[in-house]
């Protein structure tokens, strides 16, 4: 199973797009409060309205509650500050968690330091600040799923049957 954790997300459109990615991949979406929006907000639902019922979404009051309920096994923290690329880590396990910080500040420094050896980054040019959060989630989610041989996902489209 793939878990996507958003720590204090601020932009409803990003969370909606990430929810759609979770719906298409079967990943569980974990949201850590405070949220910068109401999850019933029309902007969030509009991004994945016809997929919303497919999303297993879980909301937590804070990081302590999240870790208390889920632990930290096979967790990877996405940060532009990480010393290694995501392509250097093994995400082939059965239960992988990818954690992302809020759009304006990323993950808190204390959390990055606590899991320093689990911090990963998406390579980019030095002048770029970061990718959009929903793009980052999609890149890392699909690489983790690729490493797991896309469990439970269709491996061919309808054109393969003709």
């Amino acid at each position: 199973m793939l878990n996507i954790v958003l720590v204090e997300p601020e932009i409803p459109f990003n969370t909606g797009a990430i929810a759609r990615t979770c719906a298409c991949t079967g990943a569980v979406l974990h949201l850590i409060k405070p949220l910068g929006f109401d999850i019933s907000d029309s902007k969030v639902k509009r991004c994945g309205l016809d997929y919303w019922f497919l999303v297993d979404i879980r909301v937590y009051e804070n990081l302590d509650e999240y870790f208390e309920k889920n632990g930290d096994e096979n967790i990877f923290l996405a940060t532009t500050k990480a010393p290694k690329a995501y392509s250097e880590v093994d995400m082939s396990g059965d239960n992988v968690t990818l954690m992302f910080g809020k759009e304006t500040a990323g993950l808190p420094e204390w959390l990055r330091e606590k899991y320093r050896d689990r911090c990963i980054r998406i390579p980019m040019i030095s002048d770029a600040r970061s990718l959009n959060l929903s793009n980052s989630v999609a890149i890392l989610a699909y690489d983790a799923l690729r490493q797991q041989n896309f469990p439970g996902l269709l491996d061919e489209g309808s054109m393969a049957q003709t």
Side-chain angles (χ1 to χ4, degrees):
M1 172 187 298
L2 181 61
N3 296 283
I4 303 297
V5 180
L6 304 182
V7 179
E8 302 178 8
E10 300 169 312
I11 301 173
F13 179 79
N14 283 338
T15 301
I18 292 164
R20 188 173 184 134
T21 297
C22 290
C24 291
T25 60
V28 177
L29 178 59
H30 303 265
L31 301 177
I32 312 296
K33 291 182 178 180
L35 308 179
F37 49 86
D38 181 346
I39 60 171
S40 64
D41 188 291
S42 62
K43 290 179 184 174
V44 173
K45 288 190 174 180
R46 189 177 337 146
C47 295
L49 182 60
D50 56 342
Y51 289 84
W52 201 251
F53 73 98
L54 294 173
V55 182
D56 181 353
I57 186 167
R58 303 172 191 182
V59 181
Y60 306 87
E61 291 300 317
N62 52 46
L63 278 166
D64 290 337
E65 181 186 5
Y66 170 80
F67 283 116
E68 184 178 297
K69 291 183 176 178
N70 299 284
D72 62 0
E73 189 173 346
N74 291 326
I75 191 169
F76 296 95
L77 284 67
T79 173
T80 59
K81 297 160 182 67
K84 61 186 167 192
Y86 71 91
S87 56
E88 298 177 50
V89 298
D90 180 5
M91 295 185 281
S92 63
D94 291 337
N95 197 16
V96 170
T97 298
L98 301 173
M99 183 175 279
F100 301 83
K102 61 183 168 184
E103 291 90 341
T104 59
L107 292 167
E109 183 177 2
W110 70 264
L111 187 64
R112 293 190 320 262
E113 286 302 322
K114 180 175 182 177
Y115 295 100
R116 179 179 270 275
D117 64 328
R118 293 303 193 134
C119 287
I120 56 175
R121 71 185 316 268
I122 298 169
M124 63 188 85
I125 64 171
S126 62
D127 291 338
R129 188 180 70 232
S130 64
L131 286 167
N132 174 276
L133 180 61
S134 62
N135 292 337
S136 297
V137 170
I139 290 167
L140 295 183
Y142 269 93
D143 192 60
L145 292 167
R146 179 193 60 80
Q147 290 185 38
Q148 298 167 17
N149 294 313
F150 300 106
L153 303 182
L154 297 175
D155 60 356
E156 62 183 35
S158 60
M159 291 175 64
Q161 299 172 12
T162 58

